[in-house]
Amino acid sequence: LLKNELEKAAAHLEQAKESDPEGIKPRVLLALIYTTQRKFDKATAEYQEIVTVNPGSLEALTSLADLYVLQENMEEAAGIYEKLLEKDKDAPFLHFNLALIYSKLEKLDLAAKELETVIELKPDYIEAYLALGILYEYKKDPDQAIQYYSTALEKEPLNKKIYRYLGNIYYQKKDVEEAVNQYKALLRLDPRDIEGYIELAYIYLS
């Protein structure tokens, strides 16, 4: 939408809000518009009002947390997810999102714990295995990372991204043969993957 159209839409929604101060829908739309315009303070205020009117709104709370992440206010975002998990400990996506926030806060042990919980709740949650792999790469523990990537590959053998992760980490370990095997497997899966050929060529050149 053009800037002027967003401004007009926001003006109408403000009028709707004045007519119905406790109405949620105008506030949700306003928050989305303000987020698009990067008016984060105004968007945050709208979500906070929604939560005041409807404290149990999962959508509003997670949107507010995402908004805090956009503003790099990770502590506030983490606090929201921690409170949500007090009410619903069996929601894998809440644990996963909290893990990502903990990672940004460099709370890696807490992040790993949340990701392990995701896997316990939903063993086929592939992104949790990949996130754990990335986390252990960051912690300079390639063997543990490989374990999680390999488990993910067992569950999704047609997922090209996993071969790429494995190829990269084997290359970092200087296990060139296994790195080549992973990229070749990727290219068998998709012979048109140009980046795969480039990455494989880079291994040979180095």
Side-chain angles (χ1 to χ4, degrees), residues 151-192:
T151 302
L153 189 60
E154 289 173 9
K155 294 178 178 295
E156 279 194 10
L158 300 181
N159 189 325
K160 293 194 305 176
K161 179 166 60 175
I162 304 172
Y163 290 103
R164 186 164 271 119
Y165 281 137
L166 281 166
N168 179 62
I169 196 165
Y170 277 120
Y171 179 70
Q172 289 180 39
K173 283 190 68 180
K174 301 188 186 305
D175 187 342
V176 174
E177 181 179 357
E178 192 54 44
V180 168
N181 288 339
Q182 295 301 325
Y183 281 110
K184 284 184 175 179
L186 184 157
L187 292 168
R188 283 195 298 271
L189 193 62
D190 182 4
R192 295 176 296 179

Side-chain angles (χ1 to χ4, degrees), residues 47-132:
Y47 282 126
Q48 287 173 336
E49 284 297 325
I50 295 169
V51 172
T52 299
V53 174
N54 183 6
S57 174
L58 178 62
E59 182 180 355
L61 286 165
T62 53
S63 295
L64 181 57
D66 292 343
L67 197 55
Y68 284 133
V69 170
L70 279 175
Q71 298 173 82
E72 299 187 1
N73 190 346
M74 300 302 169
E75 293 288 356
E76 288 286 350
I80 289 173
Y81 278 107
E82 287 165 353
K83 288 178 181 177
L84 286 170
L85 282 166
E86 289 175 4
K87 299 177 182 178
D88 186 0
K89 294 181 180 179
D90 296 329
F93 86 97
L94 294 179
H95 287 284
F96 185 79
N97 288 354
L98 181 56
L100 297 184
I101 293 167
Y102 280 151
S103 294
K104 291 179 182 293
L105 289 168
E106 297 285 327
K107 297 180 179 180
L108 300 185
D109 290 341
L110 288 176
K113 182 179 178 182
E114 293 298 326
L115 290 168
E116 291 289 359
T117 300
V118 173
I119 290 170
E120 289 174 13
L121 293 169
K122 192 174 181 181
D124 291 331
Y125 204 125
I126 296 300
E127 291 302 321
Y129 294 97
L130 298 184
L132 277 162

